[in-house]
Amino acid sequence: MFGFNVTDTTFPFDNRPVSPLRNRTFSSWWFHGHLDYPPHPTDFFELPAGQAATAEIACDKGATSYHASAGADIRDPDNPNNVCPGRGIEAFHTTGLSDVTGCALAIAYQSDARSVKPEDFTVFSVNQTCVWTRFTDFQVPERMPPCPPDGCTCAFFWIHSQNSGAEENYMNGFKCKVTGSTSDAATLAAPQIPRRCGADPLNNKLQDVPGNCTYGAKQPFYWFNIEENNMVEGAFAPPVYNDLYNFLDGAQDDIFVDSYESLPDPSPVARVPTLADITLSLGYNTTTTDRELFARSEPGSSRKRQKAVDELTKRSLRASLHSHRQWTPAAAMRSRKSRSVPQHYSHNRS
């Protein structure tokens, strides 16, 4: 990853990958200011199409499998998934599992990171319980196309909840390659800016507004820096990677140019778009299966039930039921003191 060996003395200020990003110029926050500290040319994080890519997330490199380059092994022998050994959960900006707000991986199909612009990144995977565990799975869409010969450019993104710290962003870039692409692979659509559309009780929005969601390919959040923000939310309403912005848990299977029959402009009165009639290698016809499942489903059906269906079918079913779900963040408010928090360490597990 970019900046993997940056220490607290490399820059005139602490610019380790775990340091938060806020109120910075574009060159300082983009890739965490680490474009001059690239990974080894042969180091790629593999993204197996249709499977999970496992990353390690921790408050300190010494708490990961890469502890040798950190000078000390501080991993917790009693809890290998401990992201911040010896520290409380406030160290990774949460009041508990119900308060974590998700992380995202995004991809740009360009090998030269310096040529990548903010609008080039497409979020392809979300884990809504990130950063709760050190080993974190990110599901990769089955239809991801292969990268160029010299690989793609990827990045990890995280913004924590308003209950657990100051207004901060986290971005760590890395080189990546999609493996196992199939004949069903498709071109990614141009990513659009995500829109806040889920139930938001803390801001007096009690109901989902599914027509106001951004569907399909979406950009990551760029927020609370001096330049190049794409989010204008205030300090107590941070953008987060979960249903509030229509980032469903898991692979983002609707990010391709042929994912939808049409995509109307989002608005509070817009209709919810319909997935196109795409047949995956598993044999699901998403339009037909979708309608059959929806006809048999009760409003508010559980997430566990939806996980039983194919990933694309699941997304379309959830879109249909979107107005019946309610996202409920934790209500307790915490001190907004800034803390050093986890960074993403690229790592594949067998």
Side-chain angles (χ1 to χ4, degrees), residues 44-50 107 109 124 140-148 151-152 154 176-182 185:
F44 293 94
F45 183 44
E46 291 188 352
L47 304 172
I107 191 168
Y109 275 77
F124 66 89
V140 181
E142 183 175 354
R143 303 179 71 219
M144 290 286 280
C147 292
C152 293
C154 286
C176 57
K177 278 189 176 180
V178 176
T179 62
S181 291
T182 70

Side-chain angles (χ1 to χ4, degrees), residues 58 110 129 168 175 178 204 233 242-243 256 335:
Q110 300 177 44
T129 59
E168 296 161 346
K175 300 295 293 181
V178 176
N204 299 315
E233 280 79 344
N242 59 30
D243 292 10
F256 306 102
S335 165

Side-chain angles (χ1 to χ4, degrees), residues 24-47:
R24 293 197 186 192
T25 61
F26 178 69
S27 62
S28 180
W29 72 258
W30 184 238
F31 281 81
H32 215 293
H34 291 159
L35 284 172
D36 290 333
Y37 302 86
H40 189 276
T42 61
D43 286 347
F44 293 94
F45 183 44
E46 291 188 352
L47 304 172

Side-chain angles (χ1 to χ4, degrees), residues 43-260:
D43 286 347
F44 293 94
F45 183 44
E46 291 188 352
L47 304 172
Q51 301 179 51
T54 302
E56 289 190 47
I57 294 172
C59 292
D60 189 285
K61 198 193 316 185
T64 75
S65 301
Y66 304 96
H67 57 82
S69 65
D73 182 358
I74 64 170
R75 291 175 296 175
D76 185 346
D78 298 321
N79 181 10
N81 256 329
N82 191 342
V83 296
C84 292
R87 303 170 67 179
I89 60 175
E90 69 278 359
F92 51 99
H93 286 300
T94 185
T95 62
L97 181 58
S98 63
D99 187 51
V100 293
T101 52
C103 307
L105 297 186
I107 191 168
Y109 275 77
Q110 300 177 44
S111 301
D112 180 10
R114 291 186 181 277
S115 68
V116 176
K117 300 182 289 295
E119 58 270 25
D120 295 330
F121 272 126
T122 298
V123 173
F124 66 89
S125 187
V126 166
N127 186 308
Q128 292 188 354
T129 59
C130 174
V131 295
W132 190 251
T133 59
R134 170 184 156 206
F135 292 107
T136 301
D137 285 346
F138 289 93
Q139 300 294 328
V140 181
E142 183 175 354
R143 303 179 71 219
M144 290 286 280
C147 292
D150 292 330
C152 293
T153 302
C154 286
F156 164 86
F157 294 90
W158 173 47
I159 299 175
H160 58 75
S161 93
Q162 65 268 34
N163 302 325
S164 309
E167 309 82 4
E168 296 161 346
N169 294 263
Y170 296 86
M171 176 188 184
N172 300 112
F174 55 98
K175 300 295 293 181
C176 57
K177 278 189 176 180
V178 176
T179 62
S181 291
T182 70
S183 59
D184 291 315
T187 303
L188 271 62
Q192 304 301 309
I193 295 174
R195 292 169 65 96
R196 200 177 186 101
C197 61
D200 190 7
L202 290 183
N203 289 288
N204 299 315
K205 302 291 185 182
L206 301 181
Q207 300 294 325
D208 293 345
V209 186
N212 204 42
C213 295
T214 299
Y215 291 88
K218 294 186 280 294
Q219 297 176 21
F221 301 126
Y222 308 126
W223 179 68
F224 233 89
N225 281 295
I226 297 173
E227 300 173 313
E228 301 290 339
N229 297 310
N230 65 0
M231 293 285 115
V232 296
E233 280 79 344
F236 290 93
V240 289
Y241 292 102
N242 59 30
D243 292 10
L244 184 60
Y245 284 81
N246 201 30
F247 281 111
L248 304 186
D249 196 28
Q252 306 300 291
D253 288 308
D254 65 341
I255 59 176
F256 306 102
V257 292
D258 58 356
S259 291
Y260 287 94

